[in-house]
Amino acid sequence: MSTSGPSVDTHEMVLIHRVIRREFGQLPRLFRSAANDRARSKVIGAYAREMLHFLHTHHTGEDELLFPLLRERAALDPELMDRMDAQHAQVNDAVAAVGAELPAWTASADAAAGERLAALIDATMPILIDHLAEEEQKLLPIVSVTLTQSEWDALGKHGMSAIPVTRRLVILGHITEETDDAERQRFMQVVPAPARLAYKLIGHRQFTRETTAIRG
């Protein structure tokens, strides 16, 4: 069954997925770039930790707030949802493995450890890319006519609440980095006015400074 009323705009999740594809896609190169360079490994380690947390929070929100509602209300292909769950588990295992080794590598910049981290991400990317694409193509159209606006908003609030206040403007920069003008305006409409102003005044500059240092 679907909820009554206008459909929910789910494009925000497409932007979140864009961040995940882009940032995790470059992590292997960044791990390798810091071999035996402890100053750089500290920068890349902090960035990787933030991205791992970002992905973990995204999946947790789906597991707790999205998938149960879809199973309850929509006539879903059981194989699709089983595949979604299995992919979450595979990605989460990789995130946990990278997270476990990350502190030691951040402190040491050990080249072999960095290569192990890079290889873990490389091996996980095909699963992650397939998962994100299938969500966008098969689940989001169902989500848009199944969830209420308040239920959809709860998913966004879950993600935002997990981000430290001091990091929210930088994450906003990641989300809007590859948006076109229409997408940016559309997304910014759901961002509180004080945050929009803060991003314009200081956030974009902070995001640009950090990403320049990270990407080299």
Side-chain angles (χ1 to χ4, degrees), residues 109-136:
D110 179 74
E115 182 57 38
R116 286 195 298 273
L117 293 172
L120 275 168
I121 299 294
D122 277 334
T124 305
M125 283 305 295
I127 299 165
L128 183 57
I129 289 170
D130 286 348
H131 175 74
L132 299 176
E134 195 161 31
E135 272 192 355
E136 291 170 7

Side-chain angles (χ1 to χ4, degrees), residues 47-175:
Y47 157 77
R49 184 173 61 250
E50 184 165 66
M51 286 299 116
L52 290 171
H53 182 63
F54 185 83
L55 178 56
H56 176 72
T57 299
H58 176 67
H59 278 179
T60 300
E62 291 180 336
D63 290 338
E64 295 177 359
L65 301 173
L66 180 60
F67 290 175
L69 290 176
L70 290 178
R71 284 191 166 96
E72 177 185 330
R73 298 178 186 170
L76 298 170
D77 177 359
E79 291 186 3
L80 170 63
M81 296 311 297
D82 287 347
R83 190 160 58 250
M84 292 285 107
D85 289 340
Q87 289 166 339
H88 270 200
Q90 289 174 289
V91 172
N92 290 345
D93 285 348
V95 166
V98 173
E101 194 159 351
L102 189 61
W105 175 82
T106 300
S108 71
D110 179 74
E115 182 57 38
R116 286 195 298 273
L117 293 172
L120 275 168
I121 299 294
D122 277 334
T124 305
M125 283 305 295
I127 299 165
L128 183 57
I129 289 170
D130 286 348
H131 175 74
L132 299 176
E134 195 161 31
E135 272 192 355
E136 291 170 7
Q137 295 162 11
K138 297 182 180 178
L139 281 190
L140 289 188
I142 299 171
V143 170
S144 69
V145 296
T146 302
L147 268 66
T148 65
Q149 187 64 52
S150 63
E151 289 165 344
W152 178 253
D153 291 345
L155 189 62
K157 290 174 183 175
H158 168 86
M160 185 58 66
S161 67
I163 301 169
V165 173
T166 57
R167 301 301 301 164
R168 290 179 184 177
L169 294 181
V170 172
I171 295 299
L172 183 56
H174 282 295
I175 294 171

Side-chain angles (χ1 to χ4, degrees), residues 180-201:
D180 57 32
D181 289 342
E183 285 179 316
R184 191 176 304 109
Q185 291 175 9
R186 184 173 165 187
F187 178 77
M188 284 297 193
Q189 287 177 351
V190 304
V191 176
R196 292 199 301 269
L197 179 60
Y199 183 73
K200 182 177 180 181
L201 293 177

